[in-house]
């Protein structure tokens, strides 16, 4: 009998360097221990994730047509963006934001975290994302 060998684990991609982040059409403030990671990309779109300790916190889409909104909640306009705001456990959280970029594209930011503490952190990070 031949023993089956398990496939080696796929290494996690490295977070973007500061120089790579500066070349993006948006900026984001990352807390200690968090990184911005490349995700799926296509001919005219890119998706990034903000992660810390292996857990996803926030997703960022840059491209021509976003699927905003993906969450249900109150839609508000402020500071050049549309946001979806909800009340969870007595806290008000902005679960997603949509910006129109120069040239007509979209910058769509949404919370992907599941735990309460991570959702609050993702909400705070989401408020720092802005187009360049």
């Amino acid at each position: 009998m031949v023993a089956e060998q398990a496939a080696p684990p796929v290494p996690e991609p490295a977070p973007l360097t500061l120089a790579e982040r500066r070349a993006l059409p948006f900026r984001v403030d990352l807390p200690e221990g968090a990184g911005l990671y490349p995700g799926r990309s296509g001919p005219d779109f890119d998706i990034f994730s903000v992660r810390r300790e292996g857990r996803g916190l926030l997703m960022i889409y840059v491209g021509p047509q976003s699927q905003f909104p993906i969450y249900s909640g109150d839609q508000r306009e402020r500071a050049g963006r549309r946001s979806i705001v909800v009340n969870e456990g007595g806290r008000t959280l902005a679960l997603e934001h949509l910006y129109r970029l120069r040239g007509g594209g979209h910058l769509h930011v949404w919370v992907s975290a599941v735990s309460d503490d991570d959702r609050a952190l993702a909400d705070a990070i989401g408020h720092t994302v802005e187009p360049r």
Side-chain angles (χ1 to χ4, degrees), residues 25-130:
F26 64 90
R27 61 171 297 283
V28 57
D29 293 338
L30 298 173
E32 183 73 30
L36 182 64
Y37 293 81
R40 285 190 6 233
S41 291
D44 56 357
F45 76 91
D46 292 296
I47 299 176
F48 304 90
S49 63
V50 175
R51 296 197 299 245
R52 187 167 91 168
E53 298 172 1
R55 291 188 314 274
L57 299 171
L58 198 70
M59 301 296 293
I60 302 171
Y61 165 90
V62 180
Q65 193 72 349
S66 74
Q67 294 181 0
F68 181 89
I70 57 174
Y71 287 108
S72 297
D74 294 330
Q75 193 168 142
R76 299 184 184 165
E77 288 202 34
R78 182 176 173 192
R81 69 179 181 223
R82 288 189 311 185
S83 300
I84 300 297
V85 178
V86 299
N87 188 334
E88 289 184 355
R91 293 185 300 202
T92 300
L93 299 173
L95 294 183
E96 61 185 309
H97 307 284
L98 178 70
Y99 295 91
R100 299 279 270 146
L101 299 172
R102 294 181 198 122
H106 290 167
L107 171 60
H108 184 184
V109 179
W110 68 95
V111 170
S112 61
V114 213
S115 77
D116 288 344
D117 290 340
D118 283 349
R119 284 173 82 79
L121 177 59
D123 170 64
I125 297 167
H127 284 286
T128 72
V129 177
E130 58 186 33

